Amino acid sequence: GENVEQHPSTLSVQEGDSAVIKCTYSDSASNYFPWYKQELGKGPQLIIDIRSNVGEKKDQRIAVTLNKTAKHFSLHITETQPEDSAVYFCAANQYNFNKFYFGSGTKLNVKP
Amino acid sequence: GAVVSQHPSWVICKSGTSVKIECRSLDFQATTMFWYRQFPKQSLMLMATSNEGSKATYEQGVEKDKFLINHASLTLSTLTVTSAHPEDSSFYICSARDQGTSGGSQFFGPGTRLTVL
């Protein structure tokens, strides 16, 4: 089955700096990679996703890059703000199959 | 974006009682819904995949007789924790897959905090 690894487990940055979270996957058949943000006591919220037919996707301060050859994808947050502080999860999925494989999560702390 | 609701948001019950959690997709039809369990500071653990009109598919190690799942309509799935015990206390989160306009993305509910005394 698929195995998704996520690094780092914790990340602390100063407000205004950039943050990068990286994930690797093992199954080359995976073709859909979403990122979720989970605030304390709440359910995960989809913030951005990318499909294997593109290498990069951007939405305001958030971007995701995908390297299919190396089987890794990354979340980039620029100009971080205190409200970006949360736990972020990456996931991998084969679009025609239901199961999503999640990374172990990264706790991002943005210091004001 | 697609919205998934969950009810109740928290519940406290006595050991031995059963608790039902509802998961609804509010603005889309979900042929597939998922139930997860999350322990503090850990990732999401998939319990089962629920398909509308058919039996749920449980992950290895999840007791199907203890965690009853019903997906009776395209917008509603329920999880019933039967004869709950303190070790069942956890954060339960449902999600629904939007095969329509969102192209198969998975959207999560807000979660239900279950505490069994």
Side-chain angles (χ1 to χ4, degrees):
Chain A
E2 174 66 277
N3 180 45
V4 178
E5 294 190 355
Q6 184 172 345
H7 299 279
S9 57
T10 59
L11 179 59
S12 190
V13 300
Q14 206 68 37
E15 181 178 0
D17 288 350
S18 295
V20 180
I21 303 170
K22 298 181 179 181
C23 286
T24 61
Y25 61 100
S26 60
D27 191 345
S28 57
S30 291
N31 53 18
Y32 174 61
F33 308 93
W35 285 90
Y36 293 89
K37 174 184 180 182
Q38 186 177 27
E39 297 177 343
L40 192 63
K42 298 183 179 180
Q45 177 188 10
L46 177 67
I47 56 172
I48 197 167
D49 56 12
I50 192 168
R51 303 189 188 280
S52 60
N53 57 345
V54 298
E56 183 174 359
K57 183 176 178 180
K58 190 174 182 180
D59 182 4
Q60 299 182 359
R61 297 186 296 111
I62 295 173
V64 56
T65 58
L66 171 65
N67 183 325
K68 287 191 295 183
T69 303
K71 295 197 197 70
H72 68 71
F73 57 111
S74 300
L75 176 70
H76 305 254
I77 306 174
T78 59
E79 301 173 27
T80 54
Q81 301 167 4
E83 50 266 38
D84 294 329
S85 296
V87 177
Y88 291 81
F89 291 99
C90 64
N93 166 256
Q94 291 184 44
Y95 182 74
N96 291 327
F97 295 89
N98 280 316
K99 191 165 183 177
F100 284 65
Y101 295 85
F102 286 88
S104 53
T106 296
K107 183 174 182 180
L108 174 64
N109 179 35
V110 180
K111 295 178 287 186
Chain B
V3 180
V4 176
S5 70
Q6 233 177 293
H7 179 80
S9 55
W10 59 270
V11 56
I12 301 173
C13 69
K14 293 182 178 179
S15 186
T17 60
S18 294
V19 174
K20 180 186 281 189
I21 302 170
E22 292 188 350
C23 177
R24 294 181 185 273
S25 57
L26 298 185
D27 51 1
F28 66 99
Q29 294 184 327
T31 54
T32 304
M33 290 184 170
F34 307 87
W35 287 96
Y36 294 84
R37 184 172 180 178
Q38 188 176 37
F39 295 101
K41 299 183 180 181
Q42 292 191 22
S43 189
L44 303 155
M45 184 187 80
L46 179 65
M47 299 175 64
T49 301
S50 166
N51 292 295
E52 185 267 337
S54 63
K55 291 183 179 181
T57 302
Y58 290 82
E59 293 299 299
Q60 192 172 9
V62 177
E63 299 177 60
K64 59 180 68 177
D65 294 331
K66 182 165 188 63
F67 299 100
L68 301 178
I69 293 171
N70 187 312
H71 192 160
S73 77
L74 287 173
T75 59
L76 173 64
S77 177
T78 60
L79 168 67
T80 301
V81 183
T82 62
S83 186
H85 292 283
E87 57 266 30
D88 299 324
S89 298
S90 193
F91 192 51
Y92 293 87
I93 315 172
C94 73
S95 70
R97 190 161 196 189
D98 181 4
Q99 301 281 33
T101 57
S102 296
S105 301
Q106 182 179 187
F107 297 91
F108 287 87
T112 296
R113 174 74 58 191
L114 170 63
T115 302
V116 185
L117 302 176

